[in-house]
């Protein structure tokens, strides 16, 4: 139950105050008979994690608003293991969008040709390209952060935590599907906004995970984008259809 999970996470030292990012031994104290008392942070004298009383919908809304407190709650005070599945689904969404744009660029409207087109490997190629670009983007971020703040990424667990945070913060790509389904004159602008939102979420995830200022995460993201585009250009020069 909740008590077992709390003791296990406390033993691992996984709790963080969502306000000041200070360490905490517990999120709440259970006095039995349904009486719970939220723990108070010794550093900032505020509740360690007020979100344990909130509805998941409220937490999601705060995460969409890119509030650091919501990110700390999700990353440090909950056990969420959907980052792998979420990453695959987001890549599928991006691959579908690219495949659809490639299909729209075809001048042949013959339904038989559409069926033939669907049987080809273009969708999987788009998935591979999206995976390559995201991997390159993450590698650029890791290289930049390791170069500028090596003390923040000393252990393997630090890399894993940051990778999970980056994967979870790409959830904005799920908006690509409704943006394409409800296509209208402003769809290209919507796609730009989705891209910007994902980058903002990535920046907040880096900032919260490593407890950095606002500038360094954006610096890492900038070099991640450069590395991503550099890798794509390299493969294009090698003759790959990327």
């Amino acid at each position: 139950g909740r008590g077992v999970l709390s003791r296990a996470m406390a033993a691992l030292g996984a709790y963080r105050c969502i306000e000041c990012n200070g360490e905490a031994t517990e999120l709440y104290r259970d006095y039995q008979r349904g009486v719970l008392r939220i723990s108070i942070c010794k550093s900032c004298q505020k509740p360690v994690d007020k979100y344990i009383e909130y509805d998941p919908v409220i937490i999601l809304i705060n995460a969409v608003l890119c509030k650091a407190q919501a990110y700390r709650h999700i990353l440090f005070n909950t056990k969420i293991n959907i980052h792998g599945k979420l990453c695959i689904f987001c890549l599928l969404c991006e691959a579908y969008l690219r495949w659809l744009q490639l299909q729209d660029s075809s001048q042949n409207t013959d339904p038989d040709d559409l069926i033939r087109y669907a049987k080809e490997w273009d969708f999987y190629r788009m998935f591979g390209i999206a995976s390559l670009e995201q991997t390159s983007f993450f590698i650029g971020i890791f290289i930049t952060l390791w170069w500028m703040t090596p003390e923040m990424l000393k252990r393997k667990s630090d890399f894993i935590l940051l990778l999970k945070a980056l994967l979870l913060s790409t959830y904005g790509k799920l908006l690509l599907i409704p943006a394409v389904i409800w296509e209208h004159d402003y769809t290209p602008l919507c796609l730009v906004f989705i891209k910007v939102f994902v980058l903002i979420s990535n920046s907040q995830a880096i900032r919260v995970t490593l407890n950095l200022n606002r500038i360094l995460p954006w610096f890492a993201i900038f070099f991640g984008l450069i590395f991503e585009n550099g890798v794509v250009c390299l493969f294009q020069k090698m003759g790959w259809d990327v």
Side-chain angles (χ1 to χ4, degrees), residues 199-219:
L199 293 178
I200 293 174
S201 299
N202 292 154
S203 172
Q204 193 71 307
I206 297 172
R207 179 190 169 209
V208 168
T209 304
L210 301 181
N211 198 25
L212 301 174
N213 56 34
R214 296 179 183 273
I215 299 177
L216 188 54
W218 279 111
F219 194 71

Side-chain angles (χ1 to χ4, degrees), residues 82-94 127 131 134 167:
I82 63 170
H83 48 276
K85 296 178 181 179
L86 180 63
C87 173
I88 296 298
F89 194 70
C90 288
L91 288 174
L92 288 173
C93 292
E94 191 168 354
F127 180 82
S131 302
Q134 180 165 293
L167 292 176

